[in-house]
């Protein structure tokens, strides 16, 4: 049998990494930070040594999982980040896309929950750069929509925090009770935004 080409090796690596990441996300939803490499290997149906070849410990694996989730999150909300129009409508659309991404991709939910928890369960300061990137690429653009849409002197970050917290809470309730596919995304977002007044108008969400 002839040796595999570089392209074949790269394809195998990509496939295994995808298996590992998906398994890690599923196990994290079950066990949280108590996840172990052995659990991931069993879930991915890969040998322990295979997973260990890529990740020497669970913190390295979770760090990769969260960075990958950041890219997926940014991709999910990109249509709003690059769009134009009414700022609060865009903020509501952003929230819908974010909540739908949580349903479809557990790693996105894990990222949002981890940020909301301020990386409480993770050791050291290894996630400072990830948090800064999340702020720059996801959170601050969203807070900017809130500020522009309300025209209020009140802190847009406070409103953005409350909305993010509500989204994470609703996602957690549905995901951990195995009801993610029953989640009324539009209803949840409409309820959250119903108390936010747009600058100069009260009929903005319809």
């Amino acid at each position: 049998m002839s040796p595999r080409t570089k392209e074949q090796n790269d394809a195998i690596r990509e496939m295994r990494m995808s298996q590992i990441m998906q398994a890690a996300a599923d196990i994290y939803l079950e066990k949280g930070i108590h996840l172990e490499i052995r659990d991931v290997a069993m879930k991915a149906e890969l040998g322990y040594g295979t997973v260990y070849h890529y990740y020497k410990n669970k913190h390295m694996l979770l760090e990769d999982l969260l960075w990958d989730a950041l890219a997926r999150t940014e991709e999910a909300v990109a249509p709003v980040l690059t769009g134009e129009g009414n700022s609060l409508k865009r903020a509501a659309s952003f929230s819908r896309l974010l909540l739908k991404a949580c349903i479809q991709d557990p790693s996105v939910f894990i990222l949002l929950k981890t940020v909301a928890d301020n990386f409480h369960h993770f050791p050291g300061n290894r996630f400072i750069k990830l948090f800064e990137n999340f702020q720059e690429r996801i959170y601050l653009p969203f807070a900017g929509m809130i500020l522009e849409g309300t025209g209020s002197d009140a802190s847009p970050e406070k409103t953005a925090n409350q909305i993010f917290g509500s989204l994470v809470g609703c996602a957690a309730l549905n995901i951990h009770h195995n009801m993610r596919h029953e989640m009324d995304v539009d209803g949840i977002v409409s309820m959250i935004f119903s108390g936010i007044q747009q600058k100069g108008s009260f009929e903005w969400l319809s």
Side-chain angles (χ1 to χ4, degrees):
M1 181 182 294
S2 59
R4 289 194 294 258
T5 65
K6 180 181 182 301
E7 289 75 16
Q8 289 172 323
N9 284 328
D10 288 344
I12 291 172
R13 175 182 174 82
E14 184 175 345
M15 179 183 67
R16 284 179 177 167
M17 293 288 285
S18 178
Q19 286 177 270
I20 292 169
M21 289 294 181
Q22 183 175 346
D26 290 339
I27 293 295
Y28 191 90
L29 289 181
E30 297 173 14
K31 296 190 173 185
I33 197 64
H34 299 295
L35 160 155
E36 296 293 344
I37 295 291
R38 195 175 302 279
D39 301 324
V40 176
M42 185 176 299
K43 184 73 174 181
E45 298 183 348
L46 294 171
Y48 174 81
T50 299
V51 178
Y52 187 78
H53 171 75
Y54 293 101
Y55 297 104
K56 303 305 181 187
N57 60 65
K58 66 182 180 182
H59 296 298
M60 292 174 62
L61 170 55
L62 291 173
E63 187 170 4
D64 254 16
L65 176 71
L66 293 177
W67 275 106
D68 185 63
L70 176 60
R72 292 172 181 270
T73 303
E74 188 173 30
E75 182 180 1
V77 299
V80 176
L81 294 179
T82 58
E84 298 179 353
N86 181 291
S87 296
L88 280 185
K89 282 188 176 180
R90 289 175 59 216
S93 295
F94 177 102
S95 300
R96 289 188 189 95
L97 292 173
L98 205 58
L99 200 49
K100 287 178 181 178
C102 286
I103 297 171
Q104 297 165 358
D105 188 341
S107 68
V108 172
F109 168 70
I110 292 168
L111 172 66
L112 298 184
K113 182 68 165 59
T114 303
V115 170
D117 290 342
N118 198 27
F119 299 93
H120 175 69
H121 297 294
F122 293 83
N125 298 318
R126 65 191 302 162
F127 292 96
I128 289 177
K129 187 176 180 180
L130 175 63
F131 179 73
E132 290 173 348
N133 271 262
F134 180 87
Q135 290 284 98
E136 179 183 348
R137 294 158 59 179
I138 306 297
Y139 177 79
L140 291 179
F142 178 67
M145 295 176 205
I146 299 294
L147 175 62
E148 183 179 345
T150 59
S152 172
D153 292 333
S155 169
E157 287 84 3
K158 181 178 180 180
T159 302
N161 282 343
Q162 292 170 339
I163 294 172
F164 267 112
S166 299
L167 294 174
V168 171
C170 288
L173 181 65
N174 284 270
I175 288 172
H176 291 308
H177 287 272
N178 295 316
M179 299 187 303
R180 69 176 71 185
H181 299 299
E182 302 172 24
M183 195 186 313
D184 180 8
V185 172
D186 289 336
I188 290 170
V189 172
S190 294
M191 179 180 63
I192 291 172
F193 277 80
S194 63
I196 303 175
Q197 296 180 0
Q198 180 187 21
K199 178 174 56 178
S201 175
F202 297 93
E203 299 295 333
W204 63 273
L205 195 58
S206 59

